[in-house]
Amino acid sequence: MKPSITRVQGLRIVTRLCLTLATLGLAEAAPPVFRAGAATSNITPAIGADPNIRTSRPPAAHVHDELHARCLVLDDGQARLALVVCDLRHISAEVAANAKRIIEKLTGIPPHCVMISATHTHTSGGVKLEEREDEPYYDYSAFLTRRIAEGVLRAHNQLEPAQIAWGVVDEPTQVFNRRWFLIPGSRPVYGAHDNIEQVDTNPGYKGLLKPAGPVDPQITFLSLRSTSGKPISLMASYGLHYVGGIPPNTISADYFAIFADRVGELLGADRHQDPPFVGIMANGTSGDVNNLERHSDEELAKRGPQLNKRYQPFEKAREVAHLCADKVMAAHKTLQWHDHVKLTSLQRTLTLERRYPTKEEVAWAESVKARRIKPMSTSRYSTYSTVLAYASPEMPPTLDVTVQTHRIGDLALAAMPFEVFAEIGLELKQLSPIQPLMNVSIANGSHGYLPTPAQHQLGGYETWIGVNKVQLDASVKLVGALVEMLGELTR
Ligand SMILES: [Zn+2]
């Protein structure tokens, strides 16, 4: 005979059930805990190359400083967000998408809550060579994908109760628009053909009239510390292409990594603390902005003779990184810390028309081909074969790109898969319904330069077909979509 539940046993079960429900009720009432975790994952490619492979570019011979995927994971108790910034010149959409699939499997964080970007260090070895067969870094993609996913998993494993704060500072002395109008008649515009170009990219230092665009002087940053005050991570974004001054054939993460180390030092993070502090510097909107100080002839005359400092390798990168870190740290002292903020993420796929060459451009390219002009790699003549390739009906008519917006309390982040011109970033910051806005470019893919329609009118290197791949008004579509998404994040 089956033993029946006695009255006392029954009461015990009911009491236990109630206790469980009460515990659950208590857990629901308790405020959600905000947590943060950070980790770095080494992504330095192999140096040297298989001598049997014919390559278009020599591989690196020396590593000055290791490249990293710098990973930050945030958790508001309901939603999670993973931000990854890689010490790379570009990040391919395929690598980013594949890494996100693994990240979702390992941590459960869905792809739209994961941003993966590149700093745009020009000394990361791989460039985009990992995408082409018979190139030295061709087998690098699989390694990179795994290492990014592992970095996020390790940051996720380090999640601990945390406080968060953010701020914005100006550092206008290290950003210069690299596109210039020249004084008429002073000399021909670099790379010019048939008077198409009105501005010159990276011209010399004389004969300059005025820059063709603005710069974004802001460094936007967020900072995480444990509830006991130990620094966990600081992530910043600045609209500077890169600094350079690094010997050829040397792998280095440029000023981005020096900034990351320096903020750790200034925050008093112990190099061997557990888990280690992770500094991050992402690329803002710097498609037309670099670190080379140029002035108009008029300004030069006003300034009078100046002493031109000669820099040792890495010296300039260090100088810029330390300056940026000092600025951030001065503001850091007065930040308002939050015990909890809400996280929300949105992602959209934008289908953009690809760039089509005009009839005139095709005629020009045909004539260059017929005249057998020996193209220099730096002149517009080098683009004639690209113009003809883009004229071919075999090229796909559209390109799908991923854009994201993330809300972290009252800070928003916009992630764009291009080398975005500064004025686009400035417009976004002006239109964003959430303030402040942190812009991150070369994120979730890398589809060339993104000038505005007005900059396309002016011509110049970044507007050439091939380095620019999408419809001439793509920036208008991008800004429209991002502002709409930022609006949705406020609801
Ligand atoms: Zn570049």
Side-chain angles (χ1 to χ4, degrees), residues 183 205-209 294-306:
I183 291 172
Y205 293 86
K206 294 227 169 98
L208 307 182
L209 186 63
R294 288 188 176 86
H295 300 281
S296 66
D297 277 13
E298 196 187 337
E299 180 68 24
L300 280 181
K302 267 191 233 158
R303 287 163 64 94
Q306 302 273 323

Side-chain angles (χ1 to χ4, degrees), residues 89 120 122 241 419 449:
R89 186 157 169 179
H120 203 58
H122 271 222
H241 213 78
E419 289 186 59
Y449 284 102

Side-chain angles (χ1 to χ4, degrees), residues 433-468:
I434 306 169
Q435 296 287 341
L437 177 70
M438 177 189 280
N439 287 319
V440 178
S441 60
I442 321 168
N444 305 309
S446 181
H447 307 289
Y449 284 102
L450 191 71
T452 58
Q455 292 287 343
H456 271 297
Q457 290 280 316
L458 300 177
Y461 167 69
E462 299 87 347
T463 70
W464 295 353
I465 205 162
V467 294
N468 167 258

